[in-house]
Amino acid sequence: MRNLLIVLSGPSGVGKGTIVKKLLQKDGYALSVSCTTRAPREGEQNGVSYFFTDRQSFENLIKQGGFLEYSEHFGNYYGTPKAFVESKLKEADVLLEIEVDGALQVKAAHPEAILIMVAPPSEKELRDRLEKRGTESEEKIAERLKRTEYELSKKDLYDYTVINDDLITAVAEIENIIKQEKVKN
Ligand code: 5GP
């Protein structure tokens, strides 16, 4: 069975990060660590949360064709390092936690990739979660909520949508999707 490229997207604060952490506690999954030019948040470690880099180095890697996909949003670059993902795919199913523009680039280049949209039960729920996280200013929260509408408008281009109402249920649903897709391969 071939290992899968599994792309998880969804609005900021929807709980993708927690879902990914839960999946990584199980066997057979590896995480793609993205590059970004945004500054690290408190507690984020280089090479674990992201590879933190500057614009010049990021743009050099773009020119060298080093990204599976990349996009610029909230004023920063985010991209999936191609070599990193290819090496991880030899060992495990690889999870990419990326936004929609990048996800659609992955699907165009790799139609066999599985795109899963993680959606919130409601917009109110999402705002509450972002405020509780407390890492963003009011202005940043408003910016991120505006982006939510755009992200969710692309869900029909995804292979699956999973509502993250209850974490355990959402993780089980995603595992089920992966299991079914593995049988197809
Ligand atoms: P944050 O700044 O909150 O860590 O991430 C902001 C957004 O960037 C999230 O929607 C996240 O999924 C997305 N993102 C993280 N890494 C990548 C990447 O490698 N490529 C793309 N296109 N988006 C990414």
Side-chain angles (χ1 to χ4, degrees):
M1 253 184 295
R2 215 157 28 93
N3 287 326
L4 300 176
L5 207 49
I6 301 148
V7 180
L8 292 174
S9 306
S12 186
V14 79
K16 286 164 294 175
T18 316
I19 289 175
V20 165
K21 266 190 213 133
K22 289 273 171 211
L23 288 171
L24 290 173
Q25 285 166 5
K26 307 179 190 258
D27 287 339
Y29 297 110
L31 178 66
S32 159
V33 178
S34 299
C35 291
T36 185
T37 57
R38 94 152 155 69
R41 295 193 188 115
E42 209 177 302
E44 286 185 329
Q45 264 177 282
N46 192 31
V48 179
S49 316
Y50 284 102
F51 295 108
F52 296 100
T53 184
D54 55 39
R55 292 185 77 83
Q56 184 68 61
S57 313
F58 198 104
E59 284 170 358
N60 286 342
L61 201 53
I62 295 174
K63 281 191 204 122
Q64 291 161 20
F67 288 110
L68 187 59
E69 61 71 39
Y70 72 92
S71 72
E72 189 175 10
H73 59 137
F74 306 132
N76 291 302
Y77 280 126
Y78 293 82
T80 305
K82 207 188 265 178
F84 187 86
V85 168
E86 281 167 2
S87 92
K88 292 277 174 191
L89 263 179
K90 290 186 187 137
E91 306 156 10
D93 294 325
V94 179
L95 304 170
L96 271 65
E97 187 203 327
I98 64 176
E99 53 67 67
V100 289
D101 296 339
L104 297 174
Q105 287 174 46
V106 172
K107 190 73 177 174
H110 294 273
E112 75 284 4
I114 312 302
L115 266 53
I116 303 174
M117 175 68 76
V118 183
S122 70
E123 191 180 313
K124 179 181 180 310
E125 177 80 26
L126 192 65
R127 167 168 271 281
D128 289 351
R129 285 186 205 173
L130 275 175
E131 282 172 353
K132 229 189 274 167
R133 191 162 81 177
T135 53
E136 317 288 337
S137 65
E138 266 300 310
E139 191 192 330
K140 282 263 155 69
I141 291 175
E143 195 180 284
R144 280 172 188 256
L145 282 172
K146 221 189 285 163
R147 176 88 189 168
T148 297
E149 214 172 297
Y150 171 73
E151 298 248 333
L152 293 176
S153 75
K154 301 285 177 191
K155 75 176 180 342
D156 291 348
L157 299 172
Y158 276 59
D159 299 299
Y160 300 92
T161 296
V162 170
I163 309 276
N164 187 17
D165 196 358
D166 171 70
L167 177 66
I168 308 279
T169 312
V171 171
E173 232 177 282
I174 291 172
E175 277 195 289
N176 232 355
I177 290 169
I178 297 170
K179 219 183 280 168
Q180 282 172 25
E181 289 289 343
K182 284 201 84 89
V183 176
K184 282 193 209 163
N185 271 274

